[in-house]
Amino acid sequence: MTFTSYEFRRTDGAGRAVTLAGRAIGPENGRQIVMLASLGRPGSDFDEVAAMLAGAGYRVTLPEPRGIGGSEGPMEGLTLHDLAEDVAAVIETQTTAPVTLIGHAFGNRLARTTAADRPELVARVGLLACGGLIEMPEKARKALIGCFDESQSPDEHIECVRYGFFAKGNDPEVWRSGWYRQVMRMQSFAVRTTPVEDWWEAGGQPILVVQALEDAIALSANAHDLKKRLGERATLAELPNAGHAMLPEQPARIAEIIRNYIEAAE
């Protein structure tokens, strides 16, 4: 089973041209999942998990954000609502809605915004490495910023990746590349200019929270706080031996958690 590519054009709310590209894998009539990548990262971060889910009969779509892999459009002055319009367009044109919409790190904010803005397109939301009201420690914040600092030496860069994103003993080399500074800037601005209350509740949809137990950026306390606030609407799954990256560290377990959650819900 292989990935297939898609590309299409849309016009945004201001009448500007946007090109959206990405890939999908799995049978077209399978249960539909769309996965949104982390801050300044490509959809290929999900490849291992997506292939495992596709092998179990799921259809997994991996959109690229503007600035990566053929996706193009205005990148200045955007909000999460603008980026959610891109996601909604992918769901409408490339899938059979409603979908399970899964976001990793920054992608969890975008997934929740999309669900809030277009609830008819989203059956449930999965949050991997979700931040929240509890801020990351300063050292972790510096490591995150350092991952996008092109002035660093290769050794300095990989140390930022290791500290910020990987559990002790796991190999950060798999994420040495794939850091898109311009995309990070676009997405960070969108987060800052969108009120938290616009997306926090994810449109009232059921939520799966996958929390890595060694995450230095999205601390476990955030996941437990979200579970406490949302009660039965949220399902919490904890993931040992994983940090903020999570996907390259525990792909089989993540795929299993997602499958179990969706199949139990149906």
Side-chain angles (χ1 to χ4, degrees):
M1 195 174 298
T2 60
F3 288 90
T4 58
S5 298
Y6 68 82
E7 183 175 307
F8 67 94
R9 293 185 178 181
R10 62 175 291 263
T11 301
D12 70 11
R16 302 173 297 186
V18 177
T19 299
L20 298 176
R23 296 170 302 129
I25 190 171
E28 292 187 7
N29 63 350
R31 293 183 177 98
Q32 303 283 315
I33 299 175
V34 176
M35 295 180 157
L36 308 175
S38 179
L39 186 72
R41 297 286 307 178
S44 57
D45 284 350
F46 289 103
D47 279 6
E48 282 188 89
V49 173
M52 292 174 186
L53 290 168
Y58 288 77
R59 176 72 169 180
V60 185
T61 302
L62 306 177
E64 296 292 6
R66 301 182 193 188
I68 298 179
S71 288
E72 299 176 346
M75 297 179 67
E76 300 292 332
L78 304 178
T79 69
L80 286 175
H81 298 293
D82 296 313
L83 300 181
E85 287 181 6
D86 290 350
V87 178
V90 171
I91 295 172
E92 289 178 314
T93 64
Q94 304 300 316
T95 77
T96 302
V99 304
T100 297
L101 185 57
I102 295 176
H104 177 219
F106 161 80
N108 98 84
R109 290 171 169 81
L110 183 53
R112 286 195 261 182
T113 306
T114 306
D117 290 354
R118 298 293 304 276
E120 77 279 8
L121 299 179
V122 182
R124 62 194 63 85
V125 177
L127 312 180
L128 312 184
C130 68
L133 302 179
I134 301 167
E135 295 293 332
M136 70 185 80
E138 180 62 16
K139 185 175 180 180
R141 187 190 68 81
K142 289 181 178 179
L144 173 59
I145 294 171
C147 291
F148 296 95
D149 184 352
E150 298 167 352
S151 70
Q152 293 193 100
S153 70
D155 285 348
E156 290 171 332
H157 177 260
I158 201 65
E159 175 57 22
C160 287
V161 176
R162 183 201 66 76
Y163 183 84
F165 284 82
F166 285 80
K168 185 177 181 180
N170 292 344
D171 185 6
E173 286 290 336
V174 293
W175 270 25
R176 180 178 283 278
S177 61
W179 303 94
Y180 291 79
R181 181 176 176 84
Q182 186 180 8
V183 177
M184 177 273 290
R185 291 169 63 89
M186 172 188 72
Q187 293 170 336
S188 296
F189 182 88
V191 170
R192 293 194 302 272
T193 55
T194 306
V196 172
E197 56 268 23
D198 284 9
W199 53 266
W200 187 262
E201 290 285 339
Q205 306 294 40
I207 293 176
L208 167 67
V209 181
V210 182
Q211 176 63 48
L213 294 181
E214 296 185 53
D215 194 331
I217 292 175
L219 303 177
S220 292
N222 279 306
H224 287 277
D225 177 72
L226 186 61
K227 169 62 178 172
K228 182 178 179 180
R229 290 170 183 267
L230 298 183
E232 293 301 314
R233 185 156 68 88
T235 299
L236 174 61
E238 295 184 311
L239 192 66
N241 192 32
H244 197 60
M246 185 186 296
L247 295 163
E249 297 176 284
Q250 296 287 346
R253 179 61 182 140
I254 292 171
E256 180 184 32
I257 289 170
I258 293 170
R259 282 188 62 191
N260 290 344
Y261 177 71
I262 293 174
E263 290 166 20
E266 298 177 349

